[in-house]
């Protein structure tokens, strides 16, 4: 390479102005291309057809390392090889160079060199270090890839459109919600083929929330809509459409999040149902207590007060078991043994298969068994030291068959009038449960049988 241009003493005399001196220096540099090439911030080298270096500047030596005139072009520079072979230029060719343990990415542009007769005589390569740019691009690409994976993994439906409403992206959750995979760039405003309001009226797609947002250029929440899948399934959604603008404030598209509120609506319906069921049960319980009070508090205060307390405790025991099972069921044997807990085991036989009763049947049977046990303790088999009770049950053709038998008690006679226990048996088993109760007064003990239909 040539040395920097020297200015003559005359041109740089004491009387020369600084501006003139600078102008003259620049003119001299312009007349010395070798000097300009040497000072360029990009690498440049020239080689002949044999691939040997004819010229290179300082920056080329820094980037490649170990260049000497007459040596061969570095083997990794395939771009120069293509130019020398074809005589055609190569543009924006990326090369990877390892120098002192550091990996660099070079962007090369190579042109062929021809003589006056048009014969190919060599090539010239101009290249620059784009390692930082390459790393930045890689990070951006990796970031986009991560964002894409995050969007795909989200359990909420997301999709985007251009300014005209044409779909540009949707994630897997959106495809699942719509029940289909719409074609990008064709369908507009939503991937759902049909949308409805909660009352069942149709929502034209050009009036759906995303279309309104793109038209009015403002974000909104809702209103609630139903996306109708191809199979007719209606999925309730709460949309969150938002317009997107570029740095100049121009609308470039929109993004929408569709929140599937199916679970929330089911939970609300279940809650409403539970509240209604609770109100119903409270009313029934209060009606039962009112009936117990009216039937019990007739007569001597001391005796009937204890009877009323016993009936409330029997009702409470069944309530406790139902509560432990979320009011779904109660176990018949548990109810029976709880009711007869004070009877000595030698005077009691409780036997039958495992049966789960719904709340209505459990409450009715709990009260009936309490009345039978109370009557046996006051007047029947359990009022003597020798008496005993056998409570058995079985299942047959969807019916629960219960048998109560007292034995070895005092002589039994049929009562002259129907008491509370008899009326409770008829009302609870026959009227409320649709069963068939029978009550027989044998000389050696009371027999009571009940046939109660059980739902599956």
């Amino acid at each position: 390479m040539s040395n920097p241009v020297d200015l003559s003493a005359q041109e740089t005399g004491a009387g020369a102005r600084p501006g003139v001196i600078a102008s003259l220096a620049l003119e001299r540099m312009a007349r010395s291309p070798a000097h300009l090439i040497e000072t360029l911030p990009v690498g440049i080298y020239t080689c002949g057809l044999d691939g040997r270096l004819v010229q290179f500047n300082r920056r080329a030596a820094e980037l490649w390392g170990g260049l000497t005139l007459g040596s061969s072009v570095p083997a990794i520079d395939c771009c120069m090889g293509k130019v020398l072979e074809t005589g055609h230029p190569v543009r924006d060719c990326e090369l990877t160079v390892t120098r002192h343990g550091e990996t660099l990415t070079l962007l090369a542009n190579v042109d062929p060199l021809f003589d006056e007769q048009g014969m190919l005589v060599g090539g010239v390569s101009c290249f620059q270090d784009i390692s930082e740019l390459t790393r930045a691009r890689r990070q951006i690409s990796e970031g986009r890839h991560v964002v894409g994976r995050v969007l795909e993994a989200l359990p909420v439906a997301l999709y985007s459109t251009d300014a005209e409403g044409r779909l540009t992206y949707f994630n897997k959750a959106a495809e699942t919600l719509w029940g289909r995979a719409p074609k990008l760039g064709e369908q507009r405003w939503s991937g759902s083929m049909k949308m409805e309001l909660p009352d069942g009226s149709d929502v034209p797609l050009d009036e759906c929330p995303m279309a309104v947002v793109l038209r009015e250029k403002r974000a909104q929440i809702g209103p609630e809509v139903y996306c109708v899948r191809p199979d007719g399934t209606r999925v309730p959604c709460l949309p969150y459409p938002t317009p997107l603008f570029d740095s100049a404030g121009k609308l470039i598209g929109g993004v929408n999040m569709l929140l599937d509120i199916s679970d929330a609506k089911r939970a609300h319906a279940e809650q409403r149902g539970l509240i209604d069921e609770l109100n119903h049960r409270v009313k029934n319980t209060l009606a039962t207590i009112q009936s117990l009070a009216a039937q019990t508090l007739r007569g001597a205060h001391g005796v009937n007060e204890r009877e009323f307390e016993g009936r409330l405790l029997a009702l409470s025991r069944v309530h406790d078991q139902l509560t432990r099972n979320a009011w779904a069921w109660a176990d018949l044997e548990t109810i029976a043994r709880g009711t007869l807990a004070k009877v000595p085991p030698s005077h009691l036989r409780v036997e039958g298969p495992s049966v789960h009763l719904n709340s209505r049947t459990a409450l009715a049977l709990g009260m009936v068994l309490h009345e039978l046990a109370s009557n046996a303790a006051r007047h029947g088999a359990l009022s003597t030291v020798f008496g005993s009770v056998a409570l058995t049950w079985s299942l047959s053709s969807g019916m629960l068959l219960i048998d109560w038998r007292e034995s070895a008690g005092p002589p039994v006679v049929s009562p002259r009038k129907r008491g509370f226990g008899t009326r409770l048996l008829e009302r609870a088993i026959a009227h409320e449960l649709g069963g068939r109760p029978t009550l027989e007064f044998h000389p050696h003990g009371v027999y009571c049988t009940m046939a109660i239909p059980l739902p599956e």
Side-chain angles (χ1 to χ4, degrees), residues 26-242:
L26 183 58
E27 289 179 8
R28 290 293 183 89
M29 289 181 183
R31 291 196 296 269
S32 178
H35 179 72
L36 288 178
I37 291 175
E38 184 67 18
T39 58
L40 287 176
V42 296
I44 295 178
Y45 75 81
T46 305
C47 71
L49 285 177
D50 58 359
R52 295 186 178 279
L53 292 171
V54 175
Q55 184 187 36
F56 59 86
N57 67 353
R58 171 185 51 81
R59 184 59 176 157
E62 291 176 356
L63 294 176
W64 285 107
L67 295 181
T68 57
L69 294 176
S71 62
S72 299
V73 172
I76 62 174
D77 192 354
C78 56
C79 306
M80 178 61 78
K82 290 180 181 178
V83 171
L84 296 177
E85 180 181 352
T86 64
H88 298 295
V90 173
R91 294 287 177 259
D92 298 327
C93 177
E94 291 192 10
L95 305 172
T96 301
V97 177
T98 301
R99 186 193 62 183
H100 307 304
E102 180 184 13
T103 300
L104 303 179
T105 302
L106 306 181
L107 183 66
N109 285 275
V110 187
D111 282 280
L113 295 175
F114 301 94
D115 62 12
E116 291 80 357
Q117 285 75 38
M119 296 288 294
L120 180 66
V121 295
V124 58
S125 176
C126 177
F127 49 92
Q128 57 184 326
D129 184 2
I130 60 167
S131 302
E132 290 297 329
L133 177 61
T134 302
R135 280 191 286 268
R137 287 189 308 193
R138 187 181 301 113
Q139 290 174 354
I140 292 173
S141 176
E142 291 175 353
R144 288 176 178 171
H145 185 60
V146 170
V147 170
R149 285 186 296 176
V150 170
L151 293 179
E152 284 299 314
L154 285 176
V156 64
L158 289 171
Y159 71 93
S160 61
T161 72
D162 60 17
E164 301 300 322
R166 290 182 289 266
L167 266 65
T168 58
Y169 169 81
F170 59 87
N171 66 356
K172 189 65 178 179
E175 180 182 342
T176 301
L177 187 146
W178 294 328
R180 60 188 296 270
K183 290 185 178 180
L184 296 178
E186 294 186 9
Q187 186 155 341
R188 301 176 70 187
W189 300 301
S190 173
S192 178
M193 292 299 297
K194 184 179 180 183
M195 300 180 74
E196 296 178 353
L197 292 175
D199 61 6
S201 58
D202 289 342
V203 178
L205 289 182
D206 59 356
E207 293 296 329
C208 75
M210 176 61 96
V212 173
V213 162
L214 292 178
R215 187 166 56 247
E216 298 181 358
K217 299 180 181 180
R218 62 178 181 84
Q220 70 176 47
I221 299 177
E224 178 186 337
V225 294
Y226 280 78
C227 291
V228 183
R229 292 170 174 164
D231 62 1
T233 306
R234 300 170 75 244
V235 183
C237 305
L238 189 63
Y240 291 79
T242 303

Side-chain angles (χ1 to χ4, degrees), residues 245-250 252:
F245 303 93
D246 62 15
S247 58
K250 180 182 177 182
I252 58 174

Side-chain angles (χ1 to χ4, degrees), residues 223-396:
E224 178 186 337
V225 294
Y226 280 78
C227 291
V228 183
R229 292 170 174 164
D231 62 1
T233 306
R234 300 170 75 244
V235 183
C237 305
L238 189 63
Y240 291 79
T242 303
L244 300 176
F245 303 93
D246 62 15
S247 58
K250 180 182 177 182
L251 179 70
I252 58 174
V255 61
N256 195 3
M257 178 179 71
L258 295 173
L259 185 62
D260 185 348
I261 57 175
S262 303
D263 291 341
K265 293 183 77 69
R266 279 194 294 268
H268 178 74
E270 291 175 1
Q271 183 185 47
R272 182 72 264 170
L274 288 173
I275 292 174
D276 292 342
E277 179 67 17
L278 178 61
N279 288 334
H280 176 71
R281 288 171 180 170
V282 168
K283 289 179 181 178
N284 284 348
T285 301
L286 291 176
T288 302
I289 293 175
Q290 184 180 16
S291 176
L292 292 178
Q295 295 293 332
T296 303
L297 300 179
R298 292 178 182 173
H301 176 72
V303 174
N304 286 325
E305 183 177 348
R306 289 192 295 272
E307 291 179 3
F308 182 59
E309 181 180 357
R311 288 164 181 164
L312 286 182
L313 288 175
L315 186 65
S316 176
R317 279 194 296 269
V318 180
H319 270 255
D320 286 343
Q321 190 181 163
L322 287 170
T323 300
R324 285 193 295 272
N325 298 313
W327 275 79
W329 58 273
D331 181 67
L332 174 56
E333 183 175 355
T334 303
I335 294 175
R337 293 193 180 279
T339 302
L340 301 169
K342 294 183 178 180
V343 180
S346 58
H347 295 255
L348 177 67
R349 182 167 70 94
V350 177
E351 191 175 282
S354 176
V355 179
H356 287 181
L357 308 173
N358 61 26
S359 59
R360 187 177 182 183
T361 306
L363 289 169
L365 274 180
M367 296 305 299
V368 168
L369 293 178
H370 170 76
E371 290 304 315
L372 289 172
S374 297
N375 185 72
R378 290 197 304 269
H379 313 293
L382 299 180
S383 64
T384 67
V385 294
F386 303 106
S388 63
V389 170
L391 173 62
T392 61
W393 63 87
S394 62
L395 295 171
S396 177

Side-chain angles (χ1 to χ4, degrees), residues 372 404 415 421-422 425 437-441 446-449:
L372 289 172
W404 171 281
T422 304
L425 179 68
T438 60
L439 187 63
E440 301 175 2
F441 297 92
V446 173
Y447 286 7
C448 179
T449 61

